[in-house]
Amino acid sequence: MINDMKKFIAIVGSNSNKSTNRELLKYMQRRFQDQAEIELVEIKGLPIFKKSLDQFVPKQALEIAKKIENSDGVIIATPEYDHSIPAALSSTLAWLSYGIHPFVDKPVMITGASYGSLGSSRAQSQLRQILDSPELKALIMPSSEFLLGHSLQAFDDNGNLTNAAETKQLDGLFKDFLQFVEISEQLNHAHAINKQKAEQFSWDKG
């Protein structure tokens, strides 16, 4: 039944107007529409993270945080620049752990597309470390890398993946993510204390 469908937030990890990571998430949104409701969220327009005395958080970041909190899980598609995630994505995650903590115990699936052959593998590894930090404390699906290399040639004119093996892999990983989300819902016994620790954590305190 449609009321039982999971609701996921898919974060486009690029502020580029033309991004193959956005194309990948749009493809997932269409392909899995009978399995889950996937809403794309843009990080374009968010200012670079900066601490302030009043701990100001931009309205756009607060809106993204609310969407994450109200979702069953999050999908993030990241490009790779210089073996790392984009500055815009890093800044977004900083805002989303600055006085607000929507990622605590939230199931996350990491994907990524890049123009080269490695498919954002190093960026995805770095993103895992960031999401596992004390301020974010997300539940990242293990052993689930989807690495879309040569992404400029990966989609047809209709925005669909052309490689059958990659399509089959993504189908399997998404099914695993649905199951991971179900399991994660049962692993909530420490959620309250995890949230409290994230709120109290500070690198500035001695």
Side-chain angles (χ1 to χ4, degrees), residues 87-136:
L89 179 56
S90 177
S91 179
T92 298
L93 294 174
W95 282 125
L96 294 173
S97 57
Y98 187 56
I100 51 177
H101 304 276
F103 274 105
V104 173
D105 295 328
K106 187 67 65 174
V108 177
M109 176 182 181
I110 297 174
T111 65
S114 72
Y115 297 169
S117 60
L118 296 178
S120 76
S121 61
R122 294 181 179 89
Q124 290 193 35
S125 178
Q126 183 192 43
L127 182 55
R128 284 178 177 276
Q129 289 184 307
I130 294 171
L131 289 169
D132 195 40
S133 67
E135 306 97 313
L136 286 160

Side-chain angles (χ1 to χ4, degrees), residues 2-183:
I2 192 167
N3 291 336
D4 295 328
M5 290 177 66
K6 298 298 183 185
K7 295 182 179 181
F8 298 145
I9 297 301
I11 297 176
V12 180
S14 170
N15 58 4
S16 172
N17 290 326
K18 182 175 174 57
S19 167
T20 53
N21 283 277
R22 185 180 295 108
E23 285 189 63
L24 173 60
L25 292 178
K26 285 183 175 180
Y27 169 73
M28 293 177 68
Q29 185 182 48
R30 293 192 308 273
R31 186 165 182 84
F32 305 127
Q33 61 184 333
D34 61 337
Q35 301 179 54
E37 179 185 327
I38 300 176
E39 178 185 353
L40 263 65
V41 169
E42 299 283 352
I43 64 174
K44 290 191 301 181
L46 259 178
I48 293 297
F49 175 76
K50 182 180 180 180
K51 289 184 177 182
S52 61
L53 291 176
D54 60 351
Q55 208 171 53
F56 170 78
V57 178
K59 180 181 178 182
Q60 185 180 351
L62 293 173
E63 290 173 347
I64 294 174
K66 187 175 182 179
K67 288 178 182 290
I68 292 172
E69 287 177 342
N70 292 333
S71 74
D72 295 301
V74 179
I75 304 166
I76 303 177
T78 179
E80 181 171 313
Y81 301 137
D82 300 327
H83 291 185
S84 64
I85 65 173
L89 179 56
S90 177
S91 179
T92 298
L93 294 174
W95 282 125
L96 294 173
S97 57
Y98 187 56
I100 51 177
H101 304 276
F103 274 105
V104 173
D105 295 328
K106 187 67 65 174
V108 177
M109 176 182 181
I110 297 174
T111 65
S114 72
Y115 297 169
S117 60
L118 296 178
S120 76
S121 61
R122 294 181 179 89
Q124 290 193 35
S125 178
Q126 183 192 43
L127 182 55
R128 284 178 177 276
Q129 289 184 307
I130 294 171
L131 289 169
D132 195 40
S133 67
E135 306 97 313
L136 286 160
K137 216 169 181 58
L139 290 176
I140 310 108
M141 185 168 77
S143 304
S144 61
E145 285 183 327
F146 182 72
L147 310 171
L148 185 63
H150 303 293
S151 57
L152 284 175
Q153 297 82 39
F155 300 93
D156 63 19
D157 293 338
N158 296 317
N160 297 318
L161 286 178
T162 58
N163 186 292
E166 289 176 336
T167 301
K168 185 176 181 181
Q169 181 192 17
L170 185 58
D171 286 350
L173 288 174
F174 191 76
K175 286 182 180 179
D176 285 347
F177 185 55
L178 289 172
Q179 189 169 1
F180 179 69
V181 170
E182 292 283 354
I183 294 171

